[in-house]
Amino acid sequence: MNPRLEIFSQGEEIVTGQVVDTNSAWLSQQAVEMGFTVTRHTAVGDKLEDLISVLQDVAKRTDCCICTGGLGPTTDDLTAEAVAKAFDLPLIFDEIAFGQIQQFFSNRNRIMPECNRKQALLPKGSLRLDNTAGTASGFALQVDRCWFCFVPGVPSEMKHLFSQHIQPLLLQKFILEPNQLITIRTIGIGESSLQDLLSNIDIPQCVQLGFRAELGEVQTKLLFPANYSQAELKNLIEQITAQIGDAVYAVNGLGREAGDVDLISVLDNLMTTNEYTIAIAETVNQGLLAAKLVGLPWLLSSHYEQSNMHLAQQLNINYLDKDPKISAETIAYAVQKKTDADMVLIQLTGNSKASNILHEKSCVIQNGLLTKKGFNHETISITGDIKRKQSQAALASLNFLRKKLQGQM
Amino acid sequence: MNPRLEIFSQGEEIVTGQVVDTNSAWLSQQAVEMGFTVTRHTAVGDKLEDLISVLQDVAKRTDCCICTGGLGPTTDDLTAEAVAKAFDLPLIFDEIAFGQIQQFFSNRNRIMPECNRKQALLPKGSLRLDNTAGTASGFALQVDRCWFCFVPGVPSEMKHLFSQHIQPLLLQKFILEPNQLITIRTIGIGESSLQDLLSNIDIPQCVQLGFRAELGEVQTKLLFPANYSQAELKNLIEQITAQIGDAVYAVNGLGREAGDVDLISVLDNLMTTNEYTIAIAETVNQGLLAAKLVGLPWLLSSHYEQSNMHLAQQLNINYLDKDPKISAETIAYAVQKKTDADMVLIQLTGNSKASNILHEKSCVIQNGLLTKKGFNHETISITGDIKRKQSQAALASLNFLRKKLQGQM
């Protein structure tokens, strides 16, 4: 059986709802992939008696607990004191931690406020976890069978301490069988359609299947136990991706070294490899399509107008055809001529006179791509609130480009 | 003393970190404003014994608990069963709840799967909370001194049930003294500068002061106790906003009916009242500035190019001046001529030859606004990772427009 792990967050800003606790989800994902079973999240505010009681309860019921927050210099940062009281351990002044705090301030040409001195007080017997990103050292200690790891609540410092110190420590203290998480990333297919497609495939009981819809894409997540055969794993993933078809734009987790690949990085890779440049013209997503490609040098320019008619006017086209596809093609050629880009990606309203169409309940839009091989075109419709439609439109255009590039236009 | 309230979330997807639990923060904010003291958040997965033990612990230590998740039709939805076991209450088949579930499916011309029947089983003695947005009814019941309210975990259904049923119920069951939350929204000033400015003002101990930085703005939050004089409250807020100056773009919470006002709604109000139209041309934020104004009809067009030189070329300007301000003005006039907008908002790189400047560590950018009264201009610099710089640049431009409009240019 996997060792059990809990997450414990401290902070008045969390329990009063001023801050959404994203640390717990991030830490839980890491712990699950390492081979822990995460059983509980707890958050309390800055009350010493609540902290003590949670710490004592946790020590009785779990094998490991990662605790965030409460390590700052102010009077409401009570974690070290709570640990000392909960487990009857004196606080010891740690010279090395204190030296690091002094160094932090002198590096910034600032005088250390007296209150920061308390951050060098660590419960007796604990391991110091050096924090190069801030003044709060983390620490770890074992109480009965439970390993506690304490880190600051600032997400960047928390993540830094986790990967630098906590992950290596836990790998040393626990016998873990890491699960392998494979994420199949798709655009242009809904969660229920994915479920239907996957019901045709025999997925073993020991593989945990989940879906996550976010930012216009759906991720199918498969968590494989440590002892699962790599050959069978690859075979199963191939079956699934073949079943889903070209809505799959990336599979994460097969090669552990590769890291997460998202739609933009897939596009960047395709465009850069082929040394293509592109220009955008559109009357739908109002700049969001270009904004998503921030900093990528192959995007030369982007132009938004409220309607196809206005766009044509700005391009000095006097006449738009009644056939939306012919109009779209005319516009794409005009943009190509003006910008001299290798490709032109356009997104236009279905009706050339329509203006600001994202206000309409259901919007018919055209995606088009002009390349040296000619003009490709599709018509789709989008619904939802205005921001959702904007985001869906931008993603649909990027996905249209991705499919054409992968199919070599 | 305020009654104490806890939040309890159920779901394997939360403890494994696949989903960030945003429900807890939202519910806590509501509860704090109603006059509860929120003391703890707990989340566990789909294990019956964990659910039972949390429910029993909560009943012993608090006055109210809002519980989310676990009300669905599948085998891992265990909340009603856990309540029944924890408090020794039989589950009763609720005919009305069942009728609503059947109605939900017949309205959608679908056959009710047999598993949905279990959603009509409610613990004896509980109040049914009708859910018009889904098949999962909520329910509420009192155990010892603690009122438990159970709602689905889907955020939209949770929020609907909270405002329709839970809020009225709690107002009836508890004597609450609602706090008043005032939020002062600022752009263009950092959290530490705000703290410095506010240290000059005498803020009473009973007023809880907090800061929240998000999406490029900083919110100064002041939570006033129920018995605080409205005249003194207004006076204090006036002192604070005067001290901060024109970085303040809105104050939320003074008139409870007004709802939250953000930067975009402030701008929309100013532009619509004056019947102005605007065109954007830029070489920095890559479409994000336009994207943030989604659906607002006063934005006529937006144009991005990789560099000022490219932008000038597309506008048929043959020559850019060495003085960045003169070049910016020339570009603004050319855009005005081309688009016929009342105003032109531009955001350009500080150096006309620089391309894709968001890759640079520190970027010097120019904001400009051309109106019928002439050309306004400022130079600022931005830092951070590329997405942060993009977002900061877009906000800085919107804020420049806001200040000019409020100062009547």
Side-chain angles (χ1 to χ4, degrees):
Chain A
M1 226 175 84
N2 295 344
R4 292 159 63 100
L5 181 145
E6 297 194 14
I7 312 286
F8 176 28
S9 315
Q10 188 213 320
E12 212 57 42
E13 71 285 6
I14 292 172
V15 286
T16 57
Q18 285 176 53
V19 163
V20 172
D21 176 17
T22 55
N23 285 345
S24 294
W26 189 87
L27 285 167
S28 297
Q29 277 192 341
Q30 305 296 317
V32 167
E33 286 191 46
M34 285 175 74
F36 285 98
T37 297
V38 182
T39 52
R40 193 182 291 216
H41 296 177
T42 310
V44 300
D46 305 326
K47 303 221 167 38
L48 193 62
E49 64 275 21
D50 286 348
L51 287 165
I52 294 171
S53 107
V54 173
L55 288 167
Q56 289 173 337
D57 288 347
V58 167
K60 277 177 223 147
R61 76 180 167 229
T62 196
D63 305 303
C64 183
C65 181
I66 304 177
C67 309
T68 64
L71 301 180
T74 60
T75 49
D76 53 6
D77 288 300
L78 298 168
T79 300
E81 190 183 340
V83 172
K85 294 235 163 84
F87 306 124
D88 203 14
L89 298 166
L91 289 172
I92 311 282
F93 184 76
D94 187 308
E95 292 287 353
I96 296 174
F98 189 61
Q100 289 168 351
I101 297 167
Q102 287 178 310
Q103 192 65 48
F104 180 91
F105 283 97
S106 71
N107 284 348
R108 284 158 183 77
N109 292 316
R110 285 163 55 196
I111 294 162
M112 190 196 85
E114 195 48 37
C115 63
N116 284 83
R117 193 181 172 86
K118 94 173 209 195
Q119 293 183 292
L121 291 170
L122 304 182
K124 188 177 177 185
S126 58
L127 299 169
R128 189 187 62 250
L129 308 175
D130 295 333
N131 179 2
T132 53
T135 60
S137 289
F139 58 93
L141 81 164
Q142 193 176 19
V143 178
D144 302 331
R145 65 170 173 132
C146 181
W147 268 98
F148 282 93
C149 303
F150 296 88
V151 292
V154 181
S156 58
E157 296 183 29
M158 178 281 289
K159 288 178 185 173
H160 170 75
L161 279 179
F162 182 85
S163 55
Q164 288 293 305
H165 300 294
I166 295 180
Q167 198 164 35
L169 179 75
L170 299 183
L171 288 171
Q172 192 191 327
K173 300 296 177 190
F174 290 93
I175 298 160
L176 293 167
E177 298 191 326
N179 302 308
Q180 188 169 356
L181 178 68
I182 307 288
T183 305
I184 299 171
R185 303 181 71 153
T186 50
I187 288 188
I189 185 168
E191 195 174 323
S192 51
S193 311
L194 276 171
Q195 283 182 342
D196 281 352
L197 284 174
L198 264 59
S199 66
N200 301 322
I201 292 172
D202 187 28
I203 297 173
Q205 276 267 313
C206 64
V207 179
Q208 212 175 300
L209 176 68
F211 298 93
R212 184 172 172 186
E214 63 166 20
L215 305 172
E217 70 170 83
V218 181
Q219 304 184 350
T220 303
K221 288 176 178 276
L222 296 113
L223 193 69
F224 291 84
N227 58 2
Y228 203 88
S229 135
Q230 280 293 314
E232 281 175 37
L233 181 153
K234 287 212 172 86
N235 188 287
L236 183 64
I237 297 297
E238 269 169 31
Q239 271 185 65
I240 293 174
T241 52
Q243 181 79 32
I244 302 173
D246 74 354
V248 177
Y249 75 82
V251 178
N252 293 166
L254 277 178
R256 289 219 155 218
E257 63 294 348
D260 276 8
V261 172
D262 64 11
L263 182 60
I264 305 297
S265 58
V266 169
L267 279 175
D268 187 28
N269 190 26
L270 288 163
M271 294 293 289
T272 308
T273 310
N274 292 295
E275 296 185 12
Y276 292 137
T277 59
I278 203 164
I280 293 171
E282 49 100 3
T283 56
V284 178
N285 63 74
Q286 209 172 317
L288 189 61
L289 170 53
K292 283 181 180 288
L293 300 174
V294 59
L296 300 175
W298 42 265
L299 175 67
L300 300 188
S301 74
S302 173
H303 191 158
Y304 161 78
E305 294 282 335
Q306 282 195 340
S307 73
N308 300 0
M309 303 256 283
H310 284 100
L311 181 59
Q313 246 169 44
Q314 293 290 317
L315 293 165
N316 299 319
I317 299 167
N318 293 319
Y319 169 80
L320 285 182
D321 200 273
K322 274 189 186 148
D323 181 333
K325 187 184 167 182
I326 296 175
S327 296
E329 193 168 352
T330 311
I331 287 175
Y333 274 103
V335 175
Q336 203 281 325
K337 200 175 156 195
K338 198 159 189 293
T339 60
D340 210 29
D342 298 330
M343 298 183 190
V344 176
L345 185 63
I346 58 173
Q347 184 166 67
L348 303 176
T349 59
N351 171 345
S352 279
K353 286 179 188 160
S355 195
N356 268 307
I357 63 151
L358 292 183
H359 284 294
E360 288 166 27
K361 204 174 165 195
S362 171
C363 310
V364 176
I365 60 178
Q366 308 179 64
N367 288 318
L369 179 69
L370 177 66
T371 70
K372 280 171 186 153
K373 294 188 184 167
F375 184 67
N376 288 280
H377 181 265
E378 72 172 9
T379 300
I380 60 168
S381 73
I382 50 174
T383 55
D385 71 28
I386 194 161
K387 284 196 178 166
R388 184 167 185 273
K389 277 183 284 194
Q390 183 187 29
S391 166
Q392 273 203 317
L395 266 182
S397 180
L398 292 174
N399 197 42
F400 185 70
L401 174 62
R402 190 265 306 170
K403 285 198 281 187
K404 295 299 160 199
L405 286 170
Q406 282 178 341
Q408 295 300 307
M409 280 84 77
Chain B
M1 224 175 82
N2 295 343
R4 293 159 61 100
L5 180 144
E6 298 194 14
I7 311 286
F8 176 28
S9 314
Q10 188 213 321
E12 212 56 42
E13 70 285 6
I14 292 172
V15 286
T16 57
Q18 284 177 50
V19 162
V20 173
D21 178 15
T22 55
N23 285 344
S24 294
W26 189 88
L27 284 166
S28 297
Q29 277 192 342
Q30 306 296 316
V32 167
E33 286 192 46
M34 285 176 74
F36 286 97
T37 296
V38 182
T39 52
R40 193 183 290 217
H41 296 177
T42 310
V44 300
D46 305 326
K47 300 218 170 41
L48 193 61
E49 63 273 24
D50 286 348
L51 288 165
I52 293 172
S53 106
V54 173
L55 288 168
Q56 288 173 340
D57 288 348
V58 167
K60 277 177 223 147
R61 76 181 166 228
T62 195
D63 305 304
C64 184
C65 181
I66 304 179
C67 310
T68 62
L71 302 180
T74 60
T75 49
D76 53 7
D77 289 300
L78 298 168
T79 300
E81 190 182 340
V83 173
K85 293 232 163 87
F87 306 124
D88 203 14
L89 297 166
L91 290 172
I92 310 281
F93 184 75
D94 187 308
E95 292 287 352
I96 297 174
F98 188 62
Q100 290 169 348
I101 297 167
Q102 287 178 310
Q103 192 66 46
F104 180 91
F105 284 97
S106 69
N107 285 347
R108 284 158 181 78
N109 290 318
R110 284 163 55 195
I111 293 162
M112 189 197 85
E114 195 47 36
C115 63
N116 285 81
R117 192 181 173 86
K118 96 173 208 195
Q119 293 183 293
L121 290 170
L122 304 182
K124 189 177 176 182
S126 59
L127 299 169
R128 189 187 61 250
L129 309 175
D130 295 333
N131 178 1
T132 53
T135 60
S137 288
F139 58 92
L141 81 166
Q142 193 176 19
V143 178
D144 302 331
R145 64 171 173 128
C146 180
W147 268 98
F148 283 94
C149 302
F150 296 89
V151 292
V154 180
S156 57
E157 297 182 29
M158 178 279 290
K159 289 177 185 173
H160 170 76
L161 279 178
F162 182 84
S163 54
Q164 288 292 305
H165 299 295
I166 295 179
Q167 198 164 36
L169 179 75
L170 299 183
L171 288 170
Q172 191 191 327
K173 301 295 178 191
F174 290 92
I175 297 161
L176 293 166
E177 298 191 326
N179 302 308
Q180 187 169 356
L181 178 68
I182 307 287
T183 305
I184 299 171
R185 303 179 73 154
T186 49
I187 288 187
I189 184 168
E191 194 173 322
S192 51
S193 311
L194 276 171
Q195 283 182 342
D196 282 353
L197 284 174
L198 263 59
S199 66
N200 301 322
I201 292 172
D202 186 27
I203 297 173
Q205 276 267 314
C206 66
V207 179
Q208 211 176 301
L209 176 68
F211 298 94
R212 184 172 172 186
E214 63 166 22
L215 304 172
E217 70 170 84
V218 180
Q219 304 184 351
T220 303
K221 287 175 179 275
L222 296 114
L223 193 68
F224 291 85
N227 57 1
Y228 203 88
S229 133
Q230 280 294 312
E232 283 176 37
L233 181 154
K234 289 212 171 86
N235 189 288
L236 183 64
I237 297 297
E238 270 169 28
Q239 272 186 65
I240 293 174
T241 52
Q243 182 78 31
I244 302 174
D246 74 353
V248 176
Y249 75 82
V251 179
N252 293 165
L254 277 178
R256 289 221 155 215
E257 61 297 347
D260 278 8
V261 172
D262 63 12
L263 182 61
I264 304 296
S265 58
V266 169
L267 279 174
D268 188 28
N269 190 27
L270 288 162
M271 293 294 288
T272 308
T273 311
N274 292 295
E275 297 185 13
Y276 292 138
T277 57
I278 203 163
I280 293 172
E282 48 102 3
T283 57
V284 178
N285 64 73
Q286 209 173 319
L288 189 62
L289 170 54
K292 284 181 181 286
L293 300 173
V294 60
L296 299 175
W298 42 265
L299 174 67
L300 300 187
S301 73
S302 173
H303 191 156
Y304 161 79
E305 294 282 336
Q306 282 194 341
S307 74
N308 300 1
M309 302 257 283
H310 284 101
L311 181 59
Q313 246 169 44
Q314 293 290 317
L315 292 165
N316 299 319
I317 299 168
N318 293 320
Y319 169 78
L320 285 182
D321 200 272
K322 273 187 189 151
D323 180 335
K325 188 183 166 182
I326 297 176
S327 294
E329 192 167 353
T330 311
I331 287 175
Y333 273 104
V335 175
Q336 203 282 323
K337 200 174 155 196
K338 201 161 188 290
T339 61
D340 210 29
D342 298 331
M343 298 185 190
V344 176
L345 187 63
I346 58 173
Q347 184 166 66
L348 304 176
T349 61
N351 170 346
S352 280
K353 286 179 188 159
S355 194
N356 269 308
I357 64 151
L358 292 183
H359 284 294
E360 288 166 27
K361 204 174 164 194
S362 170
C363 310
V364 176
I365 60 178
Q366 307 179 64
N367 288 319
L369 179 69
L370 177 67
T371 71
K372 279 169 188 155
K373 295 187 185 169
F375 185 67
N376 287 280
H377 181 264
E378 70 172 11
T379 299
I380 60 168
S381 72
I382 50 173
T383 56
D385 71 29
I386 194 162
K387 283 196 179 167
R388 184 167 184 275
K389 278 183 284 195
Q390 182 187 31
S391 167
Q392 273 203 315
L395 267 181
S397 180
L398 292 173
N399 197 42
F400 184 71
L401 174 62
R402 190 264 308 169
K403 284 198 281 187
K404 294 299 158 201
L405 286 170
Q406 281 178 343
Q408 295 299 308
M409 278 88 75

